[in-house]
């Protein structure tokens, strides 16, 4: 199985027909997926996959940390939340970790909150000035893709999120919190912080 996957990766081509996999950059000797599977749990592999999707989102958005600027006036509620966004993102990460611990002992079907998981992910990415692809957001929600897209439709109708096409790949849709979304999620996180 690992050999089949490696052969597939080696054959990947970009839109212009060039090979995506550069043999010159490949580690020597090639690490097989069997070796990786021995060293990483399935959960760790999923975390790595999620991190790679976020990296792809940043590339699709032409994200550059030097271009991250305040979006909201500092005297408004949105501005106060934005100033404290990194600290509040840590609160969001702690909430997410608590939910993960809970799901290890109790069925996720009793606690599934895909909309809240999406809003947390969007706030965490907002704190770094990034947007999230619909695919990454669906994964973060823990819901099936069709359910996640319906939830995104409802969040957009409630004016908590906005969707727009990627600057580099028009097939990718990027999602971000609106001003109302920043205030709503940030206010919950501020209250949870106390």
């Amino acid at each position: 199985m690992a050999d089949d996957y490696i052969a597939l990766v080696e054959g990947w081509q970009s839109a212009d027909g060039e090979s995506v996999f550069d043999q010159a950059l490949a580690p020597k000797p090639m690490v097989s997926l069997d070796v990786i599977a021995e060293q990483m749990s399935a959960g760790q592999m999923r975390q790595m996959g999620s991190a790679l999707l976020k990296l792809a989102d940043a590339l699709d958005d032409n994200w550059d940390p030097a271009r991250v600027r305040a979006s909201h006036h500092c005297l408004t509620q949105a501005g106060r939340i934005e100033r404290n966004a990194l600290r509040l993102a840590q609160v969001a990460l702690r909430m997410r970790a608590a939910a993960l611990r809970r799901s290890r002992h109790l069925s996720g079907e009793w606690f599934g909150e895909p909309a809240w998981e999406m809003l947390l992910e969007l706030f965490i990415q907002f704190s770094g000035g990034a947007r999230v692809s619909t695919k990454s957001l669906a994964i973060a929600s823990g819901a099936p893709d069709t359910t996640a897209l319906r939830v995104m439709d409802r969040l957009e109708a409630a004016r908590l999120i906005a969707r727009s096409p990627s600057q580099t790949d028009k097939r990718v849709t990027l999602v971000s919190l609106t001003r109302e979304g920043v205030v709503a999620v940030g206010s919950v996180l501020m209250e949870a912080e106390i």
Side-chain angles (χ1 to χ4, degrees):
M1 172 157 159
D3 293 333
D4 293 339
Y5 179 77
I6 290 169
L8 174 68
V9 170
E10 289 173 344
W12 280 345
Q13 293 184 347
S14 65
D16 60 1
E18 295 293 319
S19 177
V20 173
F21 185 80
D22 186 350
Q23 286 288 344
L25 299 176
K28 306 291 185 214
M30 184 79 144
V31 176
S32 76
L33 292 180
D34 293 333
V35 172
I36 293 170
E38 290 172 8
Q39 297 176 2
M40 296 177 74
S41 70
Q44 289 170 319
M45 286 185 208
R46 284 186 191 91
Q47 286 178 331
M48 184 189 318
S50 177
L52 287 171
L53 275 173
K54 289 175 187 173
L55 177 60
D57 292 349
L59 292 172
D60 279 333
D61 200 21
N62 273 339
W63 183 83
D64 178 1
R67 291 185 308 164
V68 175
R69 301 282 182 260
S71 303
H72 308 289
H73 190 278
C74 64
L75 297 179
T76 65
Q77 178 71 359
R80 285 191 294 279
I81 289 169
E82 186 173 33
R83 262 194 327 275
N84 296 300
L86 288 175
R87 189 182 81 244
L88 294 173
Q90 291 172 342
V91 173
L93 288 168
R94 286 193 299 272
M95 286 178 146
R96 185 179 277 163
L100 182 60
R101 286 190 303 273
R102 181 183 67 204
S103 71
R104 287 188 195 130
H105 304 286
L106 299 167
S107 174
E109 69 184 275
W110 297 329
F111 302 105
E113 301 176 19
W116 180 241
E117 292 301 325
M118 288 180 184
L119 293 171
L120 283 178
E121 178 64 24
L122 289 168
F123 192 89
I124 291 165
Q125 297 306 317
F126 162 78
S127 72
R131 297 185 295 170
V132 180
S133 70
T134 53
K135 182 63 177 173
S136 293
L137 200 54
I139 291 169
S141 77
D145 287 349
T146 54
T147 302
L149 289 170
R150 280 194 304 272
V151 170
M152 284 181 228
D153 289 342
R154 290 197 321 264
L155 290 171
E156 190 171 36
R159 297 182 20 199
L160 295 173
I161 67 169
R163 292 184 263 194
S164 59
S166 162
Q167 296 175 10
T168 59
D169 186 345
K170 299 301 181 200
R171 297 170 296 177
V172 175
T173 300
L174 296 168
V175 186
S176 58
L177 289 174
T178 61
R179 177 187 196 87
E180 293 88 349
V182 168
V183 171
V185 177
S187 296
V188 170
L189 295 172
M190 288 174 78
E191 288 181 22
E193 184 179 43
I194 299 173

mmCIF file of all heavy atoms in Angstrom, residues 77 81 88 91-92 95 116 119-120 123 181-194:
data_model
loop_
_atom_site.group_PDB
_atom_site.id
_atom_site.type_symbol
_atom_site.label_atom_id
_atom_site.label_comp_id
_atom_site.label_asym_id
_atom_site.label_seq_id
_atom_site.Cartn_x
_atom_site.Cartn_y
_atom_site.Cartn_z
ATOM 1 N N GLN A 77 -15.973 47.468 19.945
ATOM 2 C CA GLN A 77 -15.913 46.139 20.563
ATOM 3 C C GLN A 77 -15.092 45.198 19.685
ATOM 4 O O GLN A 77 -14.277 44.436 20.184
ATOM 5 C CB GLN A 77 -17.327 45.590 20.792
ATOM 6 C CG GLN A 77 -17.380 44.202 21.378
ATOM 7 C CD GLN A 77 -16.940 44.137 22.841
ATOM 8 O OE1 GLN A 77 -16.568 45.123 23.455
ATOM 9 N NE2 GLN A 77 -16.975 42.939 23.386
ATOM 10 N N ILE A 81 -11.615 43.262 20.790
ATOM 11 C CA ILE A 81 -11.459 41.813 20.636
ATOM 12 C C ILE A 81 -10.260 41.519 19.737
ATOM 13 O O ILE A 81 -9.450 40.638 20.047
ATOM 14 C CB ILE A 81 -12.763 41.191 20.095
ATOM 15 C CG1 ILE A 81 -13.840 41.241 21.193
ATOM 16 C CG2 ILE A 81 -12.533 39.763 19.597
ATOM 17 C CD1 ILE A 81 -15.229 40.905 20.719
ATOM 18 N N LEU A 88 -7.295 35.379 23.179
ATOM 19 C CA LEU A 88 -8.604 34.740 23.056
ATOM 20 C C LEU A 88 -8.521 33.463 22.218
ATOM 21 O O LEU A 88 -9.256 32.500 22.473
ATOM 22 C CB LEU A 88 -9.621 35.718 22.470
ATOM 23 C CG LEU A 88 -9.940 36.921 23.368
ATOM 24 C CD1 LEU A 88 -10.824 37.921 22.632
ATOM 25 C CD2 LEU A 88 -10.572 36.485 24.681
ATOM 26 N N VAL A 91 -7.757 30.731 24.456
ATOM 27 C CA VAL A 91 -8.970 30.272 25.140
ATOM 28 C C VAL A 91 -9.720 29.305 24.224
ATOM 29 O O VAL A 91 -10.173 28.242 24.663
ATOM 30 C CB VAL A 91 -9.871 31.462 25.545
ATOM 31 C CG1 VAL A 91 -11.204 30.980 26.104
ATOM 32 C CG2 VAL A 91 -9.158 32.377 26.533
ATOM 33 N N ALA A 92 -9.830 29.659 22.947
ATOM 34 C CA ALA A 92 -10.511 28.796 21.977
ATOM 35 C C ALA A 92 -9.809 27.446 21.869
ATOM 36 O O ALA A 92 -10.466 26.397 21.813
ATOM 37 C CB ALA A 92 -10.570 29.480 20.609
ATOM 38 N N MET A 95 -10.696 25.391 24.841
ATOM 39 C CA MET A 95 -12.058 24.864 24.701
ATOM 40 C C MET A 95 -12.058 23.647 23.780
ATOM 41 O O MET A 95 -12.706 22.632 24.066
ATOM 42 C CB MET A 95 -12.992 25.928 24.108
ATOM 43 C CG MET A 95 -13.375 27.021 25.046
ATOM 44 S SD MET A 95 -14.411 28.193 24.145
ATOM 45 C CE MET A 95 -15.494 28.707 25.456
ATOM 46 N N TRP A 116 -20.261 25.704 16.111
ATOM 47 C CA TRP A 116 -19.344 26.274 17.100
ATOM 48 C C TRP A 116 -17.898 25.908 16.781
ATOM 49 O O TRP A 116 -16.997 26.736 16.892
ATOM 50 C CB TRP A 116 -19.731 25.839 18.509
ATOM 51 C CG TRP A 116 -18.821 26.407 19.552
ATOM 52 C CD1 TRP A 116 -18.036 25.705 20.410
ATOM 53 C CD2 TRP A 116 -18.584 27.784 19.846
ATOM 54 N NE1 TRP A 116 -17.313 26.559 21.214
ATOM 55 C CE2 TRP A 116 -17.638 27.846 20.882
ATOM 56 C CE3 TRP A 116 -19.062 28.978 19.322
ATOM 57 C CZ2 TRP A 116 -17.167 29.038 21.417
ATOM 58 C CZ3 TRP A 116 -18.599 30.178 19.844
ATOM 59 C CH2 TRP A 116 -17.667 30.194 20.876
ATOM 60 N N LEU A 119 -16.784 28.190 14.078
ATOM 61 C CA LEU A 119 -16.547 29.544 14.569
ATOM 62 C C LEU A 119 -15.248 29.624 15.370
ATOM 63 O O LEU A 119 -14.499 30.605 15.257
ATOM 64 C CB LEU A 119 -17.745 30.029 15.391
ATOM 65 C CG LEU A 119 -19.035 30.249 14.593
ATOM 66 C CD1 LEU A 119 -20.209 30.503 15.534
ATOM 67 C CD2 LEU A 119 -18.876 31.385 13.593
ATOM 68 N N LEU A 120 -14.961 28.608 16.176
ATOM 69 C CA LEU A 120 -13.694 28.584 16.914
ATOM 70 C C LEU A 120 -12.511 28.553 15.957
ATOM 71 O O LEU A 120 -11.540 29.307 16.125
ATOM 72 C CB LEU A 120 -13.633 27.373 17.850
ATOM 73 C CG LEU A 120 -14.413 27.441 19.143
ATOM 74 C CD1 LEU A 120 -14.273 26.132 19.920
ATOM 75 C CD2 LEU A 120 -13.987 28.618 19.996
ATOM 76 N N PHE A 123 -12.051 31.887 14.354
ATOM 77 C CA PHE A 123 -11.485 32.881 15.273
ATOM 78 C C PHE A 123 -9.994 32.635 15.470
ATOM 79 O O PHE A 123 -9.205 33.584 15.485
ATOM 80 C CB PHE A 123 -12.206 32.884 16.629
ATOM 81 C CG PHE A 123 -11.820 34.072 17.447
ATOM 82 C CD1 PHE A 123 -12.522 35.260 17.351
ATOM 83 C CD2 PHE A 123 -10.710 34.038 18.290
ATOM 84 C CE1 PHE A 123 -12.144 36.384 18.063
ATOM 85 C CE2 PHE A 123 -10.322 35.146 19.015
ATOM 86 C CZ PHE A 123 -11.042 36.332 18.902
ATOM 87 N N GLY A 181 -19.365 38.322 13.443
ATOM 88 C CA GLY A 181 -18.814 37.057 13.897
ATOM 89 C C GLY A 181 -17.675 37.238 14.878
ATOM 90 O O GLY A 181 -17.585 36.529 15.889
ATOM 91 N N VAL A 182 -16.796 38.203 14.590
ATOM 92 C CA VAL A 182 -15.677 38.490 15.500
ATOM 93 C C VAL A 182 -16.210 38.903 16.866
ATOM 94 O O VAL A 182 -15.749 38.418 17.908
ATOM 95 C CB VAL A 182 -14.762 39.589 14.911
ATOM 96 C CG1 VAL A 182 -13.769 40.107 15.951
ATOM 97 C CG2 VAL A 182 -14.022 39.068 13.679
ATOM 98 N N VAL A 183 -17.203 39.793 16.863
ATOM 99 C CA VAL A 183 -17.756 40.277 18.136
ATOM 100 C C VAL A 183 -18.465 39.150 18.882
ATOM 101 O O VAL A 183 -18.267 38.976 20.088
ATOM 102 C CB VAL A 183 -18.708 41.474 17.897
ATOM 103 C CG1 VAL A 183 -19.465 41.841 19.162
ATOM 104 C CG2 VAL A 183 -17.918 42.675 17.378
ATOM 105 N N ALA A 184 -19.261 38.351 18.182
ATOM 106 C CA ALA A 184 -20.013 37.277 18.845
ATOM 107 C C ALA A 184 -19.077 36.231 19.444
ATOM 108 O O ALA A 184 -19.170 35.911 20.631
ATOM 109 C CB ALA A 184 -20.981 36.626 17.848
ATOM 110 N N VAL A 185 -18.164 35.710 18.628
ATOM 111 C CA VAL A 185 -17.265 34.656 19.112
ATOM 112 C C VAL A 185 -16.290 35.234 20.138
ATOM 113 O O VAL A 185 -16.048 34.628 21.194
ATOM 114 C CB VAL A 185 -16.507 33.985 17.953
ATOM 115 C CG1 VAL A 185 -15.529 32.943 18.473
ATOM 116 C CG2 VAL A 185 -17.490 33.358 16.972
ATOM 117 N N GLY A 186 -15.744 36.396 19.846
ATOM 118 C CA GLY A 186 -14.808 37.022 20.780
ATOM 119 C C GLY A 186 -15.438 37.304 22.130
ATOM 120 O O GLY A 186 -14.807 37.129 23.171
ATOM 121 N N SER A 187 -16.702 37.718 22.131
ATOM 122 C CA SER A 187 -17.401 37.985 23.399
ATOM 123 C C SER A 187 -17.575 36.713 24.208
ATOM 124 O O SER A 187 -17.380 36.715 25.433
ATOM 125 C CB SER A 187 -18.761 38.625 23.121
ATOM 126 O OG SER A 187 -18.604 39.887 22.502
ATOM 127 N N VAL A 188 -17.911 35.604 23.555
ATOM 128 C CA VAL A 188 -18.030 34.323 24.254
ATOM 129 C C VAL A 188 -16.673 33.946 24.852
ATOM 130 O O VAL A 188 -16.593 33.531 26.016
ATOM 131 C CB VAL A 188 -18.523 33.211 23.304
ATOM 132 C CG1 VAL A 188 -18.423 31.844 23.961
ATOM 133 C CG2 VAL A 188 -19.953 33.487 22.846
ATOM 134 N N LEU A 189 -15.616 34.095 24.066
ATOM 135 C CA LEU A 189 -14.276 33.725 24.538
ATOM 136 C C LEU A 189 -13.824 34.626 25.691
ATOM 137 O O LEU A 189 -13.181 34.154 26.625
ATOM 138 C CB LEU A 189 -13.276 33.773 23.385
ATOM 139 C CG LEU A 189 -13.513 32.744 22.269
ATOM 140 C CD1 LEU A 189 -12.585 33.006 21.097
ATOM 141 C CD2 LEU A 189 -13.378 31.334 22.801
ATOM 142 N N MET A 190 -14.188 35.919 25.646
ATOM 143 C CA MET A 190 -13.836 36.834 26.747
ATOM 144 C C MET A 190 -14.535 36.414 28.028
ATOM 145 O O MET A 190 -13.940 36.428 29.107
ATOM 146 C CB MET A 190 -14.184 38.272 26.384
ATOM 147 C CG MET A 190 -13.243 38.860 25.335
ATOM 148 S SD MET A 190 -13.732 40.492 24.771
ATOM 149 C CE MET A 190 -13.183 41.497 26.124
ATOM 150 N N GLU A 191 -15.811 36.036 27.914
ATOM 151 C CA GLU A 191 -16.538 35.592 29.098
ATOM 152 C C GLU A 191 -16.005 34.255 29.619
ATOM 153 O O GLU A 191 -15.954 34.036 30.828
ATOM 154 C CB GLU A 191 -18.033 35.474 28.787
ATOM 155 C CG GLU A 191 -18.701 36.814 28.633
ATOM 156 C CD GLU A 191 -20.203 36.700 28.347
ATOM 157 O OE1 GLU A 191 -20.792 35.651 28.664
ATOM 158 O OE2 GLU A 191 -20.761 37.666 27.812
ATOM 159 N N ALA A 192 -15.579 33.374 28.715
ATOM 160 C CA ALA A 192 -15.045 32.072 29.116
ATOM 161 C C ALA A 192 -13.689 32.231 29.781
ATOM 162 O O ALA A 192 -13.293 31.392 30.596
ATOM 163 C CB ALA A 192 -14.920 31.159 27.896
ATOM 164 N N GLU A 193 -13.000 33.299 29.470
ATOM 165 C CA GLU A 193 -11.666 33.544 30.000
ATOM 166 C C GLU A 193 -11.701 33.901 31.488
ATOM 167 O O GLU A 193 -10.754 33.653 32.214
ATOM 168 C CB GLU A 193 -11.022 34.672 29.197
ATOM 169 C CG GLU A 193 -9.624 34.993 29.553
ATOM 170 C CD GLU A 193 -9.076 36.110 28.679
ATOM 171 O OE1 GLU A 193 -9.794 37.092 28.431
ATOM 172 O OE2 GLU A 193 -7.921 35.990 28.281
ATOM 173 N N ILE A 194 -12.784 34.459 31.934
ATOM 174 C CA ILE A 194 -12.887 34.955 33.313
ATOM 175 C C ILE A 194 -12.925 33.844 34.310
ATOM 176 O O ILE A 194 -13.351 32.797 34.194
ATOM 177 C CB ILE A 194 -14.121 35.882 33.479
ATOM 178 C CG1 ILE A 194 -13.947 37.075 32.536
ATOM 179 C CG2 ILE A 194 -14.328 36.290 34.902
ATOM 180 C CD1 ILE A 194 -15.137 37.974 32.457
#
